[in-house]
Amino acid sequence: MTEAKLEAWLEETRSFPPSAAFAKQANAQPSIYAEADADSVAWWRTQADRLVWHKEPTKTLEWDIPFAKWFSDGELNASVNCVDRHVDAGKGDKVAFHWVADAEGESRTITYADLQKLVAQASHALTELGVKKGDRVAVYMPMIPEAVVAMLAIVRLGAVHSVVFGGFSADALSSRILDSDCQFVVTADGAFRRGTAAPLKPAVDEALKSCPNVKAVLVVKRTGGDVEWTQGRDHWWHEIVAKQKTEHTPEYFPAEHTMFIMYTSGTTAKPKGIFHTTAGYLTQVATTHYYIFDVKAETDVCWTAADIGWITGHSYIVYGPLINGVTQIMYEGLPDSGGKDRWWKIIEQYKATILYTAPTTIRTLMKWGEEFPKSHDLSSLRLLGTVGEPINPEAWIWYRENIGAGKCPIVDTWWQTETGAIMATPLPGITATKPGAAMRAFPGISIDVVDNEGNSVGDGEGGYLVITKPWPSMTRGIYGDPERFKETYWSRFAGKYFAGDGAKRDDDGDIWLLGRVDDVMNISGHRLSTTEVEHALVGHPSVAEAAVVGASDDLTGQAIVAFVTLKLSADEQMKDQAPIIEELRVHVSKVISPIARPRQIILTPELPKTRSGKIMRRLLRDVAENRQLGDVTTLMDPTVVNMISGLMGSDDSE
Ligand code: WTA
């Protein structure tokens, strides 16, 4: 569709009716909403029957705002639910993962029976290293099967995993290890990216200099590069895991046993350790995966193109799909490892039926051109999903037409690390879809859009997204900080969960997500707080002050723009800026991650401040996006913003 055609179409129809072909065979039938609404708690109890219980729960929900317990007297084992149950049901030969390496031609096929053996061996190895129920284990891994095996083995023992995205720096890793006092780390020597080996173990060694409580490090050999070795602490996976027995008798844990921690950026410099417990989380990831992706365990080949270092990987590569017993593709590399058509080759080769990814990736693939998908047979695809940030209609339509052949329903799924599983989405075969809209709450979930006072807005109006009833996979809090949990999510609107996202209801009452309303940025679908980046910048010896904003970016959704005042006289600042700007960019990448590398750094002798000394980020956002400046009357020195606007032209953005 040309841009003009797209605009005309958006103007006229703006929606695709639910696919009739889907309606006939879909897992979800139209009555699902009414059934769930009639008694959402009871409805979730029936969904919990998707799990294999060691002891069936008799309780469903205990709700003491904002602390929920779901199915609390039940007992189960998460790893049994993902693996053993399928082998017990005679499906051991079914492929769990087609693992595809960064390098073309390298792959592994892992059946559910293989997975059971690997998890059993890893469980024994972790036990031998001293891991016990309740212990926290950091996982810092590339996208290799051992990452999934490690997660499943950790929860099998009743220990708690804290997966840290492999792109994070040593500093980011050590602060996460320290915050939840992890005593064990599972990692790899390195990772492959576009054929090049990138080391991981050195970051662990660096991080552990400040983590004296870490007793053991389990290292997968992936790249075969040289690694430093700390005797007594470091253990090779292939030495200690491979020798273990391939059967493991599980223990069972209470439904509310803590299962994992996932750090995510909040509005302060310190990431929050969002933790999830077992049965509620597993129930909702399995249920949402079943209905939203309409999975048929016998025939589907699901590909969630995300990293296990983020919640999407946890919920829709590891737990949801494995509980549902589907076959998946797990891919190690980048979208252009081996060529710009690599994804489409993989889909063609493995006959993927369901693809789930982020808008930022869709925009990148779109930029490369439609000749790449066109040169492959993508006809196996029957459903497409998107997650992580608002999707622009152009990318949505491109995805539908070029990848989904105009026939695959697109599910635009809104959720968060904190919600654990999808909360708002269309349902294939039932809900119409509109490019850019998450449409409606999932059955059994209560979502509202409210104004500043917390009152529901009418159709056609915008406001804040809130969740008005507890849901099974809701986070049980911020690790070690219940007060911050209450304050962050439950204090803005009494009795309601405040997600931090702006939203609107359109004239039909359908929900559109409009982006964050707080100081959280969304860079290529990754959450980063402005404060976190500011904190990193002022940690550099030359920086006096820094203010960071997220500015719109065609490719990455938002990009980081930093306004920095150096500890030098204004004159000196204006000399050759390029070296210090580059140094600051590298510094931020090192302290946080390359994801946090600012697109633009503007050196300025002053930052715009209110008379009370607060930096006016709102104005900097206007400057960064070349917008008409908002109200400047409260500024201490209104000329400062004009000066900064003038500097914008002279920067060297990437
Ligand atoms: C944003 C990712 C618009 C939102 C699963 C949310 C979205 C944050 C969508 C959570 C969507 C996620 N449309 N925005 N479909 N999905 N977001 O914790 O701002 O990494 O608050 O979880 O991503 O990011 P997180």
Side-chain angles (χ1 to χ4, degrees):
M1 215 185 273
T2 61
E3 209 166 308
K5 242 172 101 186
L6 170 64
E7 260 171 40
W9 181 85
L10 285 172
E11 197 62 31
E12 248 172 59
T13 33
R14 278 205 270 117
S15 109
F16 289 100
S19 141
F22 245 82
K24 276 189 233 128
Q25 50 78 50
N27 289 347
Q29 291 304 310
S31 56
I32 191 172
Y33 288 104
E35 281 160 21
D37 280 353
D39 183 345
S40 60
V41 174
W43 188 79
W44 280 116
R45 176 61 192 87
T46 59
Q47 299 306 319
D49 290 341
R50 295 178 188 283
L51 304 184
V52 177
W53 295 90
H54 178 64
K55 176 172 175 279
E56 290 267 343
T58 63
K59 297 180 181 172
T60 303
L61 170 67
E62 292 148 82
W63 181 221
D64 179 10
I65 292 181
F67 299 103
K69 287 185 190 158
W70 283 87
F71 318 118
S72 72
D73 61 345
E75 284 174 14
L76 74 173
N77 183 297
S79 130
V80 168
N81 269 280
C82 292
V83 186
D84 305 49
R85 65 181 296 175
H86 302 303
V87 181
D88 292 347
K91 306 216 170 110
D93 291 340
K94 186 170 172 60
V95 174
F97 287 103
H98 292 292
W99 177 76
V100 182
D102 180 74
E104 280 191 70
E106 186 188 350
S107 64
R108 275 167 77 182
T109 300
I110 297 170
T111 64
Y112 277 91
D114 296 335
L115 194 58
Q116 187 182 40
K117 288 184 189 136
L118 292 167
V119 171
Q121 289 183 313
S123 302
H124 287 301
L126 290 170
T127 304
E128 190 176 315
L129 294 177
V131 175
K132 292 185 300 301
K133 172 178 153 186
D135 287 347
R136 274 81 55 216
V137 183
V139 176
Y140 185 66
M141 296 273 260
M143 282 290 287
I144 54 177
E146 286 81 359
V148 177
V149 172
M151 289 165 74
L152 292 170
I154 292 163
V155 298
R156 189 176 187 90
L157 300 175
V160 178
H161 58 69
S162 168
V163 182
V164 178
F165 174 56
F168 273 125
S169 67
D171 287 2
L173 175 62
S174 74
S175 64
R176 284 160 176 77
I177 289 176
L178 288 170
D179 185 75
S180 48
D181 193 20
C182 296
Q183 298 185 1
F184 305 89
V185 180
V186 185
T187 187
D189 53 353
F192 282 113
R193 301 177 81 70
R194 278 195 213 97
T196 309
L200 270 179
K201 174 81 169 32
V204 176
D205 292 331
E206 177 68 27
L208 295 192
K209 285 184 189 156
S210 52
C211 305
N213 288 351
V214 171
K215 293 188 241 177
V217 180
L218 185 53
V219 190
V220 177
K221 187 176 259 181
R222 171 66 190 123
T223 59
D226 284 342
V227 287
E228 298 213 349
W229 209 249
T230 303
Q231 285 304 334
R233 185 197 72 183
D234 298 349
H235 306 267
W236 282 115
W237 179 287
H238 58 268
E239 284 175 3
I240 188 169
V241 177
K243 69 173 191 200
Q244 306 289 339
K245 282 189 303 194
T246 52
E247 292 90 43
H248 181 271
T249 310
E251 255 188 80
Y252 296 92
F253 305 100
E256 282 294 338
H257 185 70
T258 300
M259 198 174 133
F260 69 88
I261 304 170
M262 166 108 262
Y263 283 86
T264 188
S265 294
T267 50
T268 67
K270 190 171 176 252
K272 300 174 285 196
I274 297 298
F275 72 93
H276 285 280
T277 58
T278 311
Y281 171 79
L282 294 180
T283 297
Q284 194 171 331
V285 293
T287 307
T288 49
H289 184 252
Y290 178 76
Y291 287 121
I292 299 165
F293 300 99
D294 188 50
V295 292
K296 316 286 189 216
E298 296 311 317
T299 47
D300 272 317
V301 178
C302 303
W303 185 10
T304 295
D307 194 284
I308 49 122
W310 307 108
I311 193 71
T312 303
H314 282 49
S315 302
Y316 299 105
I317 296 177
V318 184
Y319 296 107
L322 290 180
I323 290 174
N324 289 332
V326 301
T327 294
Q328 291 187 83
I329 293 168
M330 178 177 180
Y331 174 49
E332 180 188 36
L334 297 169
D336 59 350
S337 297
K340 290 193 165 57
D341 63 342
R342 185 66 191 282
W343 268 34
W344 319 125
K345 267 190 194 160
I346 295 173
I347 289 175
E348 182 171 26
Q349 181 178 356
Y350 293 97
K351 301 205 172 3
T353 55
I354 296 164
L355 176 66
Y356 188 36
T357 190
T360 186
T361 315
I362 298 168
R363 287 192 293 268
T364 302
L365 297 163
M366 179 168 94
K367 192 182 77 178
W368 290 342
E370 50 204 63
E371 64 268 30
F372 297 106
K374 278 220 165 75
S375 60
H376 293 278
D377 177 8
L378 307 182
S379 61
S380 55
L381 286 171
R382 62 182 198 92
L383 185 102
L384 304 174
T386 149
V387 58
E389 51 176 322
I391 180 163
N392 48 314
E394 193 192 353
W396 195 101
I397 295 283
W398 185 87
Y399 196 31
R400 185 181 155 95
E401 292 200 340
N402 292 284
I403 311 308
K407 69 173 172 51
C408 299
I410 297 185
V411 289
D412 178 352
T413 62
W414 175 86
W415 57 297
Q416 309 177 297
T417 304
E418 294 86 338
T419 69
I422 297 169
M423 301 294 280
T425 177
L427 282 181
I430 301 182
T431 327
T433 54
K434 299 179 183 176
M439 300 304 288
R440 61 185 295 184
F442 184 76
I445 299 296
S446 300
I447 279 179
D448 201 358
V449 181
V450 298
D451 63 18
N452 254 322
E453 277 69 53
N455 303 313
S456 289
V457 301
D459 289 351
E461 287 175 51
Y464 305 99
L465 194 84
V466 293
I467 305 166
T468 56
K469 285 188 189 161
W471 64 102
S473 65
M474 65 193 282
T475 174
R476 302 302 193 257
I478 298 177
Y479 196 78
D481 202 346
E483 279 313 307
R484 189 174 173 201
F485 176 57
K486 284 189 200 163
E487 156 88 28
T488 312
Y489 303 102
W490 300 91
S491 63
R492 179 78 173 76
F493 302 109
K496 294 175 179 140
Y497 173 89
F498 171 52
D501 278 296
K504 75 167 186 201
R505 282 188 190 285
D506 67 14
D507 293 337
D508 306 323
D510 295 322
I511 297 171
W512 297 66
L513 273 301
L514 304 177
R516 301 289 306 191
V517 292
D518 52 14
D519 290 329
V520 174
M521 298 175 290
N522 194 324
I523 317 294
S524 300
H526 301 316
R527 268 166 79 171
L528 284 168
S529 85
T530 52
T531 340
E532 211 174 347
V533 181
E534 286 168 5
H535 201 76
L537 283 165
V538 293
H540 187 280
S542 306
V543 174
E545 232 181 352
V548 165
V549 298
S552 310
D553 186 281
D554 284 349
L555 206 58
T556 57
Q558 280 191 307
I560 299 176
V561 178
F563 299 85
V564 171
T565 314
L566 297 177
K567 287 179 185 161
L568 299 167
S569 75
D571 281 352
E572 271 177 278
Q573 282 201 16
M574 295 307 124
K575 283 186 205 146
D576 186 13
Q577 298 189 345
I580 181 74
I581 287 179
E582 185 48 27
E583 192 178 318
L584 292 177
R585 282 205 181 109
V586 172
H587 173 77
V588 176
S589 307
K590 193 175 165 291
V591 174
I592 305 174
S593 154
I595 306 163
R597 185 179 166 91
R599 179 186 73 185
Q600 256 169 300
I601 293 184
I602 291 113
L603 300 182
T604 166
E606 265 182 88
L607 292 171
K609 291 191 183 156
T610 61
R611 292 190 184 92
S612 59
K614 276 176 90 179
I615 296 172
M616 288 198 69
R617 282 202 187 71
R618 174 174 60 77
L619 287 179
L620 291 174
R621 229 170 281 138
D622 291 341
V623 171
E625 298 195 332
N626 288 320
R627 274 198 303 260
Q628 184 89 32
L629 292 183
D631 183 12
V632 295
T633 50
T634 51
L635 280 182
M636 194 155 58
D637 177 359
T639 60
V640 172
V641 276
N642 290 329
M643 177 194 68
I644 297 178
S645 295
L647 292 172
M648 285 293 291
S650 62
D651 80 297
D652 73 326
S653 58
E654 296 208 307

